[in-house]
Amino acid sequence: AQTVTQSQPEMSVQEAETVTLSCTYDTSENNYYLFWYKQPPSRQMILVIRQEAYKQQNATENRFSVNFQKAAKSFSLKISDSQLGDTAMYFCAFMISNEKLTFGTGTRLTIIP
Amino acid sequence: DVKVTQSSRYLVKRTGEKVFLECVQDMDHENMFWYRQDPGLGLRLIYFSYDVKMKEKGDIPEGYSVSREKKERFSLILESASTNQTSMYLCASSSRLAGTRDTQYFGPGTRLTVL
């Protein structure tokens, strides 16, 4: 069975600063996908960024980037130039070919004005 | 734009009641999922479906059943609601097309309270 661990239940950072959210996972599979999802307060969960395990290059989406360390089974999310709209719960998630997601317990991120 | 809608945003029910949570997606997605979200536990998969009339148990199916009579609609049923089923319920859908099958799209959630 796959497990996903997010060891930071809550984080806060000043607006415009950079913040890194941690995620580790455990699997015996070699091909899989990793995701970061964002759930703003009282709003819908949306995909922030995805990474395919066979790709060496770290995924980037505007201010969001990941540090994917396959050997260490680590998948951290970096948010640069943080904005008030980045305040949300962030979930790390893992998927193998069966298309089911396994989620971590989430990190509540607060951006302070 | 992918749209996943859920029938109620908030729902209050009594212990022992039969509860239906409805989910509709408008993107012709094959896959549909039901999760429950609890503080400190993240999202846990209850049931999922790869096609009409197909269903598979997820990680926590006890006390729940599902129905998928039409491709766009996936219903979660609590046969006899109990207080420990008070939670946020999220529906999601995804496509089986190669190159897109990994991204799930979520509904707004239904916050269910069982008294």
Side-chain angles (χ1 to χ4, degrees), chain B residues 1 23 26 29 36 44 50 71 76 78 106 111 113:
Chain B
D1 251 8
C23 175
D26 67 357
H29 284 171
R36 67 175 280 175
R44 293 176 292 166
Y50 289 137
K71 190 176 185 180
L76 180 69
L78 288 65
F106 284 82
R111 186 167 294 282
T113 302

Side-chain angles (χ1 to χ4, degrees), chain B:
Chain B
D1 251 8
V2 177
K3 196 165 184 184
V4 180
T5 56
Q6 294 182 229
S7 50
S8 304
R9 195 63 197 264
Y10 299 94
L11 209 53
V12 180
K13 295 292 182 180
R14 297 280 179 191
T15 302
E17 279 192 80
K18 190 168 186 176
V19 182
F20 292 87
L21 303 182
E22 305 283 340
C23 175
V24 177
Q25 49 93 4
D26 67 357
M27 282 301 293
D28 202 35
H29 284 171
E30 294 82 4
N31 301 336
M32 295 189 76
F33 306 84
W34 275 107
Y35 298 91
R36 67 175 280 175
Q37 181 180 0
D38 300 289
L41 297 177
L43 278 75
R44 293 176 292 166
L45 182 63
I46 304 172
Y47 266 97
F48 60 103
S49 169
Y50 289 137
D51 204 346
V52 176
K53 296 196 185 293
M54 291 182 65
K55 59 185 179 184
E56 301 267 352
K57 291 181 180 179
D59 300 317
I60 52 164
E62 296 79 18
Y64 304 94
S65 62
V66 290
S67 172
R68 193 160 179 208
E69 296 296 319
K70 293 185 177 182
K71 190 176 185 180
E72 68 271 17
R73 188 180 297 270
F74 192 36
S75 303
L76 180 69
I77 304 156
L78 288 65
E79 295 288 343
S80 178
S82 63
T83 54
N84 64 9
Q85 292 179 309
T86 291
S87 186
M88 171 71 90
Y89 290 87
L90 296 175
C91 175
S93 71
S94 67
S95 170
R96 305 211 82 191
L97 291 173
T100 66
R101 62 179 61 179
D102 53 283
T103 300
Q104 290 189 15
Y105 297 87
F106 284 82
T110 295
R111 186 167 294 282
L112 172 67
T113 302
V114 183
L115 302 175

